[in-house]
Amino acid sequence: MSTTSIDSLQHEERRFPPSEEFAANAVASSGLYDEARADRLAFWAKQSRELLHWHKDFTQTLDWSNAPFAKWFADGELNVAYNCLDRHVLAGNGDRIAILWEGEPGDSRSISYAELTAEVKRAANLLTKLGIGKGDRVAIYLPMIPEAVVAMLAVARIGAVHSVIFGGFSAESIRSRVDDASAKLVITADGGWRKGKVSALKPAVDAALAKEGTHTVENVLVVKRGENDVDWVEGRDLWWHEAIADVDAEHEAEAFEAEHPLFILYTSGTTGKPKGILHTSGGYLTQTAFTHKNVFDLHPETDVYWCSADVGWITGHSYVVYGPLANGATQVLYEGTPDLPHPGRWWEIIQKYGVSIFYTAPTAIRSFMKLGREIPDAFDLTSLRVLGSVGEPINPEAWVWYREVIGGGKTPIVDTWWQTETGAIMVSALPGVTIAKPGSAQVALPGISIDVLDEAGNAVPVGGGGLLVVSEPWPSMLRGIWGDPERFKETYWEKFGTALFEKPKYFAGDGARLDEDGDIWLLGRVDDVMNVSGHRLSTAEIESALVSHPIVAESAVVGAADETTGQAVVAFVILRSDQSEMQTADEASALLRTHVSDQIGAIARPRQIFIVAELPKTRSGKIMRRLLQDVAEGRAIGDTTTLADTSVMQIISGQLGSTNG
Ligand code: 7RM
């Protein structure tokens, strides 16, 4: 909700027509729209056969008879890793570079498709030797190093299921994910480079595995990267480089059913417990490959692609690992922070490798904007020809800056809307086809059906706001929530269509507006999910972390508009009565910020914590976050008439004169 509307007035009238360079792509792409409109399923079947190698062809494209549980290409068989590796080598492209890796301290590695294939084959043999088989879950907790990609592909190659846990998450987050998926193996590193120093990873895994619910883990495989000292559990822990040295180099990829599970990725929802989003093989790989090729106009022989996302997020899964590798792309992988050892590090990397396609988040763009254009202007960025944005709405001002300063005023920008659940891009302009409108994600991709509906399920009129839904199943859709089919149905499918309806529609949780051209403008989440720097965080999850601390009686968390990160976490906390005198509000607030960071991870640490005496509640006891949001954003407080006690907000805003927070 926050940033889109403010400066859209200033830029809304600006239109950026496609340049001549993309004329050929425009013709090809409009053909895709036509084909998909004529027969959506035939379109996806054709794309899938063109983009992937099927060991066994499929006869049925979609089985939606058990909606909302979909099956795509169900009787087909393929191997995801073979599609990302072996077939490129067999096609004569083994010497093509797959990964141009940059470590934060300045070390680098360049890895060809032949080398990556060889490495994944060894890793697959190692996993098998460790007793990992088809369907077993493997947790991966690694920095942005090539072994992260190797580990994911090796797991996929043997038909096991990976659960990648972002390296910024805490021991408790690792514990709950390992427990939920009953992981048999954890792959981690001693540490990785982050913000100019080695940040240890293994201690968090050790701490997690010392907790309850993690007894399923038999081994911990440790990549040496940080060279930091680590504790060692004999019989459980193995060094990756030692263990991989004495396994066979040959490995033949076995074919698995199209619906065989590929990975689980946990994401925040509206409750305190993250959901394990399940993705499967054939449909997921079809749509990640299709979108990566067409949304970015990829030419794998000549392009150098870079997506700045960490593999711990869905963007890293789909647009660092599976999409680009399925398409045989050459890509940059960067371990560290954007501003080290100097604030132009990213632009230096683009110059060094001649990056032509760059995909990043609005938060990053806004923080570079703040530093001024002198920094990127000092580098040669003329190799760039397509820019992408993902994770949150991009405000028109940042959009225009991105195009002018980074894209030299000539590159198309694709603003891509999608989710962990959708698996791949759903709404985006196509370069060369769509007249770009800064701030609007614009149109559904070929083969994707998007609607904006009101609460009753009716299409909103032009200019109207409503809820974003996907009205037809799509190949890379989530297949469920791990271990919780009821929550899957409830969360996504029951708002627009129940078992009574023949065809339920997918409710995305985002608000959207349609303009007079039919373009889609995303307006932010309509549920209690926040978006901080393009990362999803749940208010309920942070609230439960807060109340797990013995000094806290009650808490309420809101996402407050933030100039750089889109939203920021702001918490309101009532201390237990015996605690209020024990410490100052400042002390309590500092203690609790650290506590949240320990419980979930540094990204969830509140920007501010206000220690308050009361929270605004309705008569039925529901916290009115809207009012707290007014306070957190420094606005006049809205309508308080539905509060059980109307004086509460006066007390809270009165208190804010005090210094805590
Ligand atoms: C890819 C990713 C999903 C949520 C989604 C939206 C927001 C993502 C855009 C966007 C406006 C965009 N997956 N979102 N992309 N909002 N414009 N181009 O971020 O599962 O982590 O988050 O992110 O609210 O529901 S995610």
Side-chain angles (χ1 to χ4, degrees):
M1 301 272 161
S2 47
T3 43
T4 316
S5 53
I6 303 165
D7 44 18
S8 50
L9 293 175
Q10 192 186 334
H11 290 287
E12 194 145 14
E13 294 312 312
R14 295 193 67 176
R15 294 288 182 272
F16 295 81
S19 68
E20 287 298 315
E21 275 176 69
F22 288 90
N25 186 49
V27 175
S29 298
S30 44
L32 296 175
Y33 287 111
D34 292 342
E35 279 177 43
R37 245 191 309 268
D39 187 339
R40 193 174 58 88
L41 294 181
F43 164 81
W44 282 120
K46 181 175 166 214
Q47 287 300 329
S48 188
R49 291 189 177 106
E50 272 178 25
L51 292 162
L52 305 183
H53 172 85
W54 287 88
H55 277 69
K56 178 175 168 257
D57 193 19
F58 50 89
T59 59
Q60 187 187 25
T61 302
L62 169 68
D63 178 358
W64 192 227
S65 59
N66 189 28
F69 298 93
K71 286 185 183 160
W72 282 85
F73 317 120
D75 60 346
E77 290 179 9
L78 80 172
N79 183 288
V80 168
Y82 178 92
N83 270 281
C84 294
L85 301 164
D86 311 51
R87 68 168 169 142
H88 303 315
V89 179
L90 294 170
N93 295 321
D95 290 339
R96 186 187 293 166
I97 300 302
I99 296 177
L100 294 159
W101 178 74
E102 273 281 305
E104 192 184 82
D107 47 343
S108 61
R109 281 166 72 184
S110 142
I111 304 169
S112 69
Y113 271 94
E115 289 164 338
L116 190 64
T117 305
E119 200 58 27
V120 170
K121 286 181 174 179
R122 299 187 90 92
N125 283 325
L126 172 57
L127 296 180
T128 308
K129 193 175 149 193
L130 294 176
I132 305 301
K134 183 177 173 185
D136 287 339
R137 274 80 60 205
V138 176
I140 297 177
Y141 186 68
L142 284 172
M144 281 289 278
I145 53 177
E147 285 79 4
V149 179
V150 172
M152 289 164 77
L153 290 171
V155 168
R157 190 175 183 90
I158 62 169
V161 181
H162 57 70
S163 162
V164 181
I165 304 167
F166 172 58
F169 279 132
S170 65
E172 177 49 33
S173 296
I174 301 170
R175 189 212 65 76
S176 66
R177 285 158 174 76
V178 162
D179 180 12
D180 188 71
S182 310
K184 217 168 149 181
L185 173 73
V186 180
I187 306 179
T188 187
D190 48 359
W193 282 84
R194 201 76 205 157
K195 301 191 177 164
K197 54 181 185 351
V198 171
S199 154
L201 288 169
K202 186 160 186 291
V205 172
D206 291 337
L209 298 188
K211 299 177 184 219
E212 253 166 65
T214 57
H215 59 276
T216 50
V217 174
E218 292 170 6
N219 290 106
V220 177
L221 201 48
V222 189
V223 179
K224 202 179 201 99
R225 165 61 185 155
E227 309 274 343
N228 47 312
D229 288 335
V230 289
D231 291 342
W232 208 252
V233 177
E234 284 308 327
R236 185 196 73 179
D237 299 351
L238 298 160
W239 284 111
W240 169 284
H241 64 277
E242 287 176 7
I244 210 166
D246 47 48
V247 293
D248 200 345
E250 252 334 294
H251 183 274
E252 201 182 323
E254 183 190 333
F256 299 102
E257 325 80 83
E259 285 296 340
H260 186 64
L262 179 60
F263 66 85
I264 305 167
L265 183 61
Y266 288 83
T267 190
S268 297
T270 53
T271 73
K273 189 172 176 268
K275 303 173 280 198
I277 303 299
L278 176 67
H279 283 286
T280 60
S281 306
Y284 174 79
L285 201 63
T286 298
Q287 196 176 327
T288 51
F290 171 79
T291 50
H292 183 256
K293 175 171 183 271
N294 291 288
V295 170
F296 300 110
D297 184 38
L298 176 80
H299 295 268
E301 318 75 38
T302 48
D303 274 316
V304 178
Y305 164 82
W306 181 19
C307 166
S308 69
D310 192 285
V311 291
W313 308 105
I314 191 67
T315 309
H317 283 61
S318 302
Y319 297 106
V320 175
V321 182
Y322 294 109
L325 296 176
N327 289 333
T330 296
Q331 70 174 318
V332 171
L333 191 72
Y334 175 53
E335 180 185 34
T337 21
D339 53 352
L340 283 169
H342 58 82
R345 182 70 187 270
W346 272 17
W347 319 123
E348 184 181 62
I349 291 173
I350 289 177
Q351 173 180 285
K352 175 174 173 186
Y353 293 110
V355 171
S356 55
I357 305 171
F358 182 53
Y359 192 29
T360 194
T363 292
I365 300 161
R366 287 193 293 266
S367 48
F368 287 123
M369 254 175 100
K370 269 206 218 154
L371 299 176
R373 68 174 294 159
E374 300 71 32
I375 295 168
D377 279 352
F379 297 90
D380 178 4
L381 305 179
T382 52
S383 54
L384 289 170
R385 52 176 211 92
V386 179
L387 300 176
S389 172
V390 62
E392 45 177 326
I394 177 165
N395 49 313
E397 199 188 8
W399 194 106
V400 171
W401 188 90
Y402 193 25
R403 178 174 160 116
E404 296 298 324
V405 177
I406 306 305
K410 64 178 173 60
T411 54
I413 295 180
V414 286
D415 177 357
T416 62
W417 178 88
W418 60 292
Q419 306 177 303
T420 305
E421 292 88 339
T422 70
I425 299 170
M426 304 291 280
V427 177
S428 172
L430 292 182
V433 187
T434 326
I435 297 178
K437 271 183 204 172
S440 167
Q442 304 201 289
V443 289
L445 289 182
I448 301 297
S449 310
I450 300 280
D451 283 305
V452 181
L453 304 181
D454 65 18
E455 284 284 339
N458 303 309
V460 299
V462 165
L467 303 169
L468 192 79
V469 306
V470 188
S471 20
E472 298 286 353
W474 64 102
S476 63
M477 64 197 284
L478 76 166
R479 300 303 197 266
I481 294 176
W482 186 258
D484 203 345
E486 275 316 307
R487 190 174 177 194
F488 170 63
K489 286 195 253 179
E490 245 170 61
T491 311
Y492 304 109
W493 303 97
E494 282 178 0
K495 188 163 182 76
F496 296 109
T498 61
L500 296 173
F501 288 77
E502 209 177 303
K503 293 202 294 181
K505 293 175 178 176
Y506 171 85
F507 169 52
D510 277 310
R513 180 170 71 82
L514 279 184
D515 71 15
E516 61 283 0
D517 304 322
D519 281 327
I520 300 162
W521 295 72
L522 273 305
L523 301 173
R525 302 287 305 190
V526 296
D527 52 15
D528 292 329
V529 173
M530 294 168 287
N531 191 325
V532 178
S533 302
H535 299 315
R536 267 164 76 166
L537 292 172
S538 133
T539 54
E541 199 180 341
I542 300 175
E543 285 164 5
S544 71
L546 284 165
V547 297
S548 75
H549 196 284
I551 67 170
V552 175
E554 256 193 276
S555 78
V557 167
V558 298
D562 184 283
E563 231 182 68
T564 306
T565 59
Q567 286 188 310
V569 179
V570 175
F572 296 79
V573 166
I574 305 179
L575 297 182
R576 289 170 58 143
S577 51
D578 55 343
Q579 288 295 327
S580 321
E581 267 110 69
M582 305 269 293
Q583 46 211 322
T584 67
D586 280 352
E587 284 163 0
S589 154
L591 183 72
L592 292 173
R593 289 179 70 233
T594 307
H595 177 68
V596 172
S597 184
D598 291 345
Q599 287 291 303
I600 303 173
I603 40 161
R605 185 194 293 126
R607 182 184 73 186
Q608 289 163 294
I609 295 184
F610 295 112
I611 307 298
V612 294
E614 296 283 351
L615 288 172
K617 288 184 185 160
T618 60
R619 278 170 208 93
S620 60
K622 195 173 172 350
I623 292 171
M624 290 189 71
R625 288 202 180 70
R626 179 175 55 76
L627 298 176
L628 293 173
Q629 201 156 10
D630 290 340
V631 174
E633 294 177 356
R635 258 196 315 274
I637 289 156
D639 186 3
T640 57
T641 48
T642 54
L643 284 179
D645 173 357
T646 48
S647 64
V648 166
M649 288 315 295
Q650 282 159 346
I651 298 172
I652 292 177
S653 23
Q655 261 194 290
L656 293 193
S658 73
T659 52
N660 75 76

